[in-house]
Amino acid sequence: MWDKKWVIGNWKMNGQLQNNNALVHKLRSLPKMDNVCIGISPPTVYLSQVHNAVKIVLENKIHTCAQDVSRFNGSGAYTGEVSAEMMKDVGVDIVLIGHSERSLYFNEKNDVQRHKIENVLNVGLTPLLCVGESIKEREDGREKEAVAYQLSVFKGLKTKHFAVAYEPVWAIGTGKVATKEQIADMHDFIYNEILSLCGEDANIRILYGGSVNDKNAAEIFTVPHVDGALVGGASLKYESFTAIIQAAQDA
Ligand code: PEP
């Protein structure tokens, strides 16, 4: 998976048993996409449903991804929380951490994200950290400073295997995509920043996220250091999600 383009669908707080089932069953019969690591990130309550539907041998392995995880590990008196151990138990492979909607609505900061990354790594799952500047930070010319601060959660981490999604906050769910130049500039920056934090031998994937769809994916995948896409809205429809997967396959 570390030499493929990743296409991860973040369903956010969308889906119900019946339509999840229909979408996942269609995805199960996708022709072989051997250059792509495909993932689906449903709401926590549907993780088992998705995992059970994709765990059989398919043309493509479809990874089960969680949208978040508790900062507490194991088990205990933490009402409402779901630990990394529990995620692993139900078949999760990859865990999103620090999505900007988590910071926006739940005030999640670097220290909490660091705990979550460690918990995920400790049980052998793969963290996918989301980073990205706000519109104000970009207008002020502080996009790299903002992203460098978010990436600093990796400092001193023992693992060399993890993924990052660069998601400018102003491009998420807005239909506004960063330009190829902006994406190239930020991905190059993130790549070098990670190597300097974690060592030259870090095995990483850097995805772009922010209004990726079936029309713009192919062009985004031509940008250096773009190793895939984290897809929100367009992952909810079979046609658009599979068109993005196909674009990754052809890239
Ligand atoms: C996301 O949820 O991470 C995302 C990028 O959403 P969208 O594709 O809808 O902008």
Side-chain angles (χ1 to χ4, degrees):
M1 78 199 246
W2 299 100
D3 58 355
K4 295 183 179 190
K5 288 244 187 294
W6 290 21
V7 177
I8 310 290
N10 175 14
W11 290 359
K12 310 193 185 195
M13 199 170 74
N14 292 292
Q16 289 203 333
L17 286 174
Q18 206 175 343
N19 53 332
N20 299 346
N21 210 29
L23 179 53
V24 175
H25 274 78
K26 280 209 248 174
L27 288 170
R28 282 167 28 140
S29 43
L30 204 61
K32 185 139 190 74
M33 301 282 171
D34 44 9
N35 299 332
V36 191
C37 166
I38 302 168
I40 298 175
S41 189
T44 308
V45 71
Y46 299 122
L47 283 168
S48 283
Q49 181 198 14
V50 166
H51 177 67
N52 288 335
V54 298
K55 73 180 179 194
I56 54 163
V57 178
L58 299 170
E59 283 286 9
N60 301 289
K61 174 169 169 62
I62 299 179
H63 295 80
T64 306
C65 311
Q67 296 178 15
D68 188 34
V69 65
S70 179
R71 70 177 192 276
F72 301 106
N73 60 19
S75 49
Y78 304 108
T79 303
E81 291 291 274
V82 180
S83 70
E85 286 81 350
M86 293 167 180
M87 299 283 177
K88 184 176 174 141
D89 194 33
V90 299
V92 166
D93 305 291
I94 296 168
V95 182
L96 273 63
I97 292 172
H99 192 284
S100 61
E101 287 153 14
R102 301 288 321 161
S103 322
L104 182 64
Y105 302 117
F106 305 96
N107 205 24
E108 202 176 276
K109 300 264 183 336
N110 274 25
D111 55 337
V112 168
Q113 291 168 10
R114 172 66 183 222
H115 281 302
K116 292 182 175 187
I117 292 173
E118 286 177 351
N119 292 348
V120 165
L121 289 170
N122 284 341
V123 297
L125 303 183
T126 301
L128 197 180
L129 178 75
C130 303
V131 300
E133 78 283 359
S134 66
I135 188 66
K136 174 89 174 64
E137 286 162 334
R138 179 158 284 271
E139 284 170 355
D140 292 349
R142 291 189 294 112
E143 63 274 9
K144 289 188 180 138
E145 186 191 324
V147 167
Y149 175 68
Q150 293 164 356
L151 289 172
S152 67
V153 297
F154 286 128
K155 201 167 176 203
L157 214 63
K158 287 198 188 77
T159 183
K160 301 279 182 188
H161 299 275
F162 53 85
V164 169
Y166 169 58
E167 302 204 296
V169 177
W170 46 272
I172 298 179
T174 58
K176 269 190 221 160
V177 188
T179 64
K180 271 178 84 174
E181 291 70 28
Q182 288 170 327
I183 298 174
D185 184 41
M186 291 307 287
H187 277 241
D188 179 68
F189 174 74
I190 290 167
Y191 179 76
N192 287 303
E193 193 69 14
I194 292 175
L195 294 198
S196 76
L197 283 168
C198 304
E200 297 282 325
D201 54 343
N203 218 346
I204 49 173
R205 297 278 86 187
I206 308 173
L207 318 190
Y208 171 77
S211 299
V212 176
N213 61 35
D214 48 344
K215 310 271 178 323
N216 58 29
E219 200 182 1
I220 291 169
F221 291 144
T222 64
V223 177
H225 294 306
V226 170
D227 303 318
L230 180 56
V231 185
S235 70
L236 297 170
K237 292 215 172 73
Y238 174 79
E239 290 72 19
S240 45
F241 191 50
T242 51
I244 296 167
I245 295 170
Q246 185 67 58
Q249 170 69 14
D250 298 339

